[in-house]
Each structure stands twice: as structure tokens, then as C-alpha cells.
Amino acid sequence: MTNELVSCSALCRTFGSLKALDDLDLTLKRGRIVGLAAPNGAGKTTLIKILAGILQPTSGSALIDGRSPGVYTKSITSYMPDRPSFAEWMKVQDALDLFSDFYADFDLTKAGEICRILQLDPAARIRTLSKGTKEKLQLMLVMSRNAQLYLLDEPIAGVDPAARDFILHTIVAGYNENGTVLISTHLITDVEKLLDEVVFLQEGRLLLHRSADEIREAEGKSIDEYFRELFRFEAWKGEN
Amino acid sequence: MFAKLMKYEWKDSMRVFLPLWGATVALGAVNGFTMGSEVSLRNPMLNFIVQILPALLLFGLSFGMFVVAFVLIIRRFYNGLLGDGGILSFTLPVTAAQHLAAKLLMALIMLVGCVLAGLLASVVLIAIRGDLGRVKELFLMLRSQLDGYRFTVPVIIEMLLFCLLAAAFSVLRLYSGMAIGHLFRTHRALWSVAAVLVMGWIFNYLTIQSGKILYNIAERTPQYWNIDSFSALLDRLPLFLGIGIGGFLLGSVLLWLLTHYILGRKLNIL
């Protein structure tokens, strides 16, 4: 087993004339929590979807544990999408059964424990849950796996600060320590204390890939401040 | 993994179809009691409620079952594999072929189930009215009309296979149309409809061309094709069914390969 878990080489994905990913080279090692930050539309979700195997690259390659996205990589990758993806008919119990049936690394005891803390009724229909609760349910399922790679796409977007704390705590407490967590977000302040490494994308290209401590020491500022500095827009000052 | 996929396909589909099929058979029973009821002669309103309404409901439900089946076949494939549900489906450690096979098998189960529920409703209706004996008479009359032709087991199997493959071909045409449509970034539903229509034209063209080839082959054996009676036509039924089975099988394989290629290699869930 090599220490290299994710390896993207000259990865491109275009949507018509738009280049969502442009010649991206990226390597992630095992046992790291990596923050994937970029302005909106810079290719975060596209990269994660390609790694999850639900979007195909236009060219280049993306490998997980040395293999292209497929049945094997899906069995070792735990993916939390940017929006709930459960079927409308499902109850919480159906979602638990589904994960338990399909993923050998799913820890039903851990999932049940988180369900209890969240006071989630297994008989509740998922469509009746609030947005925040659906996100928590999705995260609970994803983090109850002992996966090698966790792909979390905007896990704290659109939820209240208390829910954010719960989600972040669940990530830290739940992940397999030999695995790698890739968290896509632009709410960097909330996640930066968890991060070992940071990846910044700009217009589909890799702008920066450094350790979080290195950024803080070398730049003398937090990752959030550094992000704001790099991606700052000139403010509009009105017409007068 | 295929069995596990089928478990969830079954769970989702039967949630809708078991009540629907049950209601159809129950309405068959209700019609068995109400059809020709003497109450109708005394009160026109009661006549409508007791006699006409159950009959209309049974007719509507029998037709509606197939409409629901086709809507569900389309929705379950589009939402479950190409829409938001595809995010969950395609992150399961399952091959595209298994996903496609599970959807197709469930679609066929739904369609066959609708046919069986319709037949069962008719049998229940007839049995309650005590008319099962007349059905036998009807079959005997039909046989005499067919010049005593006997449907042997192989021919019946061929007929069933023909119907199943025709249904599979229709379902796969919808699937491949939706798969093509999802490759586009916008107006996916519109592109899906266009793809289904274009494939329809292509298959019609291919059918006509195949027909011409078969006609040319048939011309070489004119004595075999000298069909001068209905029974002579029926004698050639296995051959006609065989040609149909071959055509639908070939078409289904082509559509399967196309859909599988898109799901496996060109998946584009936005």
C-alpha cells in the first residue's frame, strides 16, 4: 500500500466552452484532513464528483489507491454530496439498511449511536426532515463508514452555526484515521482548525497546495485571511 | 449486489403497485356483484352508482395501471440514475450493468404485473358472475375459427418471449433516450424526447430494410410462402414470431450497449 491515496494528473473537465477543471495535477496522501477551498465556480464540486465517480473527466486521469473511479474505489470512498440524494420514498431506516447492505465498511452501531444523539426517528420519512437534519443524516451515514477516502462537498453550507459545530465534531470523531478527508468549502474559518493541508483552486487550476501550519507560519495569517487576500475583489464604492 | 439492488427496486415499486393491483382485482370483484344488478332498474342514480361507476373505475384503473407503470419506469430511471438519486446510486459499489439490469427487470415485472392484475380482475369478475363455463365456450369457438389450430407449448413460449422482448425493447428505447438526453447540460428532457424520436425513425428504417431483405430471401422459396388459407398462415406463426424475437433481441442488445456505455463511461450528473 503506497502512501499516495489520490492522484490527479492533467485532469480536465469542460462543460461546453467552460473549463471547470483545467490541467489539474494534485496528489493527496493518506491520513490527512485536506481543505479544498476556492471561489464559487472554480471546480471544487467537479473535482469531488470526478473522484466520487459520478462525473467523467474530459481528459487526464484521477486515481484513488491507484485505480480509476469504479466499483473498487467506490467501496473505499465515502462521499457526501452538496445536496441530499436520498429517494423520496425512503425512511431513515431504509437509508441505514442501504448503507449497511452495500458498504462492507459501514459501522451500523456507530450510525445508530449518532442517530440517537440526533434524535432521528428511524421510522421518519427523509423527505419530511428539515434541510439541516437531512444534511446531518447524510453526514452521519458517510462518517459511519471506515472508508479510506471521505469526500465532503460543502458539508457546512446552509446550516446554522450549532449544526456546523455538530457536523465538524462528527467529522473529527468519525473518520478513519488512516483515511484522508477532503472537505470542500468556502467557509474556511469554521474548518481551518481541523485542516492538515489546504488546496486552493482558481479557475479550475491548482493555485496552491500546502500544509496548514506552513501557511500560518510563512504568511503570518490564518488560512481564511490568506484566502481572502488571494481572492479579493475590488469593492464597488458607489457612483459618487 | 444485484440481488440487493433488486431489493430496493422492489421495495420502491411495490409501494405503488401492490395497492394498485389489489384495487384492480377488488374492483373486478365489485363489478362481478354489481354488473346486471336488479337495483339498476328502479333508480337511475342508483343505477349509475351501483353499475356504471364500478365498471368505469375498473376500466380507468386497468388503463391507468399501464400509464402509472410507464410514468414510474421513466421517473425511476431518470431520477434514480441520472438525476439527484443517481448521486446515491452511482456511488454504490455496483457496476453500471447491474444498475441497468435491475431497472430493466423491475420495469418488466411492473408491466407483467399489470397484465396479470388485469387478467385476474377479469377472472374474478367472471367467476363471481358464475360465467366461467361461458369462457370455455368462447375458447372453443375461437379454436373453431382458427380452423382447429392448436397452440403448442413451444409456440406459447415463443409468444410470451416475443411480448417480453417487445416490452424490453420499448423500455430500453426510453432508457437510452434519457441517457442521451442527460449528456446535454440544459434542456435534458427535450433532448431525451428528441433522442427517443430519432431512434424510433432509425429503427423503423432498419425494420423496413430488414423486411426487404427477408422478402428477397422469401422469393427464393415461393412454394413455402404460397399462403392460401388462414391455417397455412398460422402454420408459419412460429417462424414469424422467431423473426420478431430476433429483431427485438437485436434491437434490445444495441440499446443496452448504448445505454450501458453512457452510464459506464459518460456519466454526467450535474
Side-chain angles (χ1 to χ4, degrees):
Chain A
M1 188 192 281
T2 63
N3 196 29
E4 204 171 84
L5 183 63
V6 174
S7 167
C8 300
S9 171
L11 190 63
C12 292
R13 172 68 209 205
T14 55
F15 294 105
S17 59
L18 177 79
K19 281 188 174 173
L21 288 178
D22 186 9
D23 209 22
L24 180 77
D25 292 311
L26 177 68
T27 303
L28 300 179
K29 292 186 173 146
R30 292 174 194 275
R32 317 287 287 164
I33 299 184
V34 184
L36 178 63
N40 289 325
K44 298 188 297 288
T45 296
T46 303
L47 173 61
I48 285 187
K49 281 185 172 177
I50 288 173
L51 292 173
I54 57 171
L55 199 62
Q56 306 297 321
T58 308
S59 62
S61 70
L63 304 177
I64 299 169
D65 200 20
R67 311 265 281 269
S68 295
V71 172
Y72 169 70
T73 66
K74 288 170 189 179
S75 71
I76 61 163
T77 301
S78 198
Y79 167 56
M80 179 176 173
D82 56 350
R83 57 185 187 272
S85 58
F86 298 106
E88 283 186 2
W89 62 271
M90 279 188 166
K91 294 176 180 171
V92 172
Q93 186 62 53
D94 293 316
L96 288 166
D97 291 343
L98 183 98
F99 269 64
S100 182
D101 276 344
F102 283 96
Y103 297 112
D105 59 13
F106 185 69
D107 185 341
L108 195 56
T109 316
K110 191 199 279 183
E113 182 64 18
I114 305 174
C115 256
R116 193 186 56 74
I117 295 167
L118 282 172
Q119 296 179 320
L120 272 175
D121 176 8
R125 283 213 183 274
I126 295 174
R127 68 160 179 257
T128 64
L129 303 177
S130 69
K131 183 180 185 292
T133 311
K134 276 183 198 164
E135 298 233 356
K136 286 180 206 162
L137 169 68
Q138 187 113 32
L139 185 83
M140 174 272 284
L141 292 164
V142 166
M143 298 313 296
S144 295
R145 288 183 57 196
N146 292 309
Q148 291 187 41
L149 176 64
Y150 298 86
L151 300 170
L152 311 179
D153 195 0
E154 304 280 5
I156 52 171
V159 295
D160 63 74
R164 274 182 210 171
D165 285 346
F166 173 84
I167 288 170
L168 295 175
H169 176 78
T170 308
I171 293 169
V172 175
Y175 87 104
N176 166 15
E177 289 188 4
N178 297 317
T180 289
V181 183
L182 182 62
I183 308 175
S184 129
T185 187
H186 41 231
L187 299 167
I188 301 166
T189 316
D190 291 292
V191 297
E192 82 167 90
K193 60 181 180 289
L194 312 180
L195 304 179
D196 297 315
E197 291 175 17
V198 178
V199 172
F200 285 174
L201 297 182
Q202 188 176 37
E203 293 172 354
R205 287 175 165 270
L206 182 68
L207 182 69
L208 169 151
H209 180 192
R210 289 163 78 181
S211 94
D213 290 338
E214 196 183 303
I215 291 175
R216 289 187 201 105
E217 282 165 25
E219 306 299 333
K221 53 189 76 158
S222 71
I223 297 164
D224 184 56
E225 287 166 338
Y226 188 49
F227 179 86
R228 285 168 196 266
E229 186 183 297
L230 283 176
F231 296 104
R232 189 180 303 281
F233 286 103
E234 192 64 38
W236 185 64
K237 297 184 178 77
E239 290 180 5
N240 299 318
Chain B
M1 285 296 179
F2 179 73
K4 288 176 182 172
L5 277 181
M6 282 307 294
K7 174 181 150 186
Y8 290 92
E9 291 289 332
W10 178 267
K11 211 169 177 179
D12 185 16
S13 306
M14 289 309 122
R15 210 173 36 92
V16 177
F17 277 100
L18 283 182
L20 206 58
W21 293 337
T24 307
V25 176
L27 265 174
V30 170
N31 273 277
F33 289 114
T34 56
M35 219 172 253
S37 163
E38 286 181 16
V39 177
S40 60
L41 299 172
R42 290 196 286 268
N43 186 330
M45 180 50 90
L46 218 55
N47 173 41
F48 178 78
I49 293 169
V50 172
Q51 266 198 312
I52 313 285
L53 195 60
L56 282 177
L57 279 174
L58 180 61
F59 177 77
L61 205 57
S62 305
F63 178 72
M65 267 191 318
F66 288 95
V67 176
V68 172
F70 267 97
V71 169
L72 265 188
I73 286 168
I74 291 170
R75 274 197 59 186
R76 290 185 45 68
F77 186 81
Y78 197 82
N79 294 347
L81 293 184
L82 307 175
D84 282 356
I87 294 172
L88 182 65
S89 300
F90 280 108
T91 44
L92 298 174
V94 171
T95 62
Q98 286 172 323
H99 277 302
L100 186 54
K103 293 280 179 220
L104 179 61
L105 182 57
M106 201 61 234
L108 293 178
I109 290 172
M110 283 192 252
L111 292 172
V112 170
C114 288
V115 172
L116 292 180
L119 283 175
L120 190 59
S122 309
V123 169
V124 168
L125 187 154
I126 294 165
I128 288 173
R129 287 181 54 79
D131 287 342
L132 279 177
R134 287 195 195 168
V135 175
K136 194 179 173 189
E137 280 172 29
L138 189 74
F139 275 112
L140 290 173
M141 193 181 78
L142 195 67
R143 183 181 285 179
S144 72
Q145 289 295 312
L146 296 176
D147 296 342
Y149 181 79
R150 276 182 174 274
F151 287 95
T152 58
V153 173
V155 173
I156 291 170
I157 290 173
E158 233 186 339
M159 287 169 93
L160 292 175
L161 198 59
F162 177 86
C163 294
L164 272 178
L165 279 169
F169 175 76
S170 305
V171 171
L172 281 166
R173 219 176 97 183
L174 293 173
Y175 286 175
S176 53
M178 286 185 276
I180 291 171
H182 112 290
L183 294 174
F184 293 85
R185 223 183 150 196
T186 55
H187 304 105
R188 289 176 157 194
L190 201 65
W191 285 114
S192 300
V193 173
V196 171
L197 289 175
V198 169
M199 277 189 293
W201 293 329
I202 292 170
F203 277 110
N204 282 345
Y205 175 78
L206 291 175
T207 307
I208 291 166
Q209 294 308 313
S210 310
K212 283 179 183 171
I213 293 167
L214 289 173
Y215 183 77
N216 288 335
I217 294 169
E219 271 192 322
R220 291 178 207 158
T221 52
Q223 67 285 0
Y224 184 77
W225 297 101
N226 184 19
I227 299 169
D228 53 0
S229 67
F230 190 52
S231 63
L233 183 71
L234 283 173
D235 285 339
R236 283 148 186 82
L237 186 62
L239 178 68
F240 293 141
L241 285 171
I243 291 169
I245 286 170
F248 281 128
L249 186 63
L250 187 65
S252 299
V253 169
L254 288 175
L255 291 171
W256 170 283
L257 291 175
L258 173 66
T259 314
H260 180 258
Y261 173 73
I262 294 171
L263 296 183
R265 302 280 177 86
K266 296 284 171 191
L267 194 61
N268 189 34
I269 298 175
L270 298 177

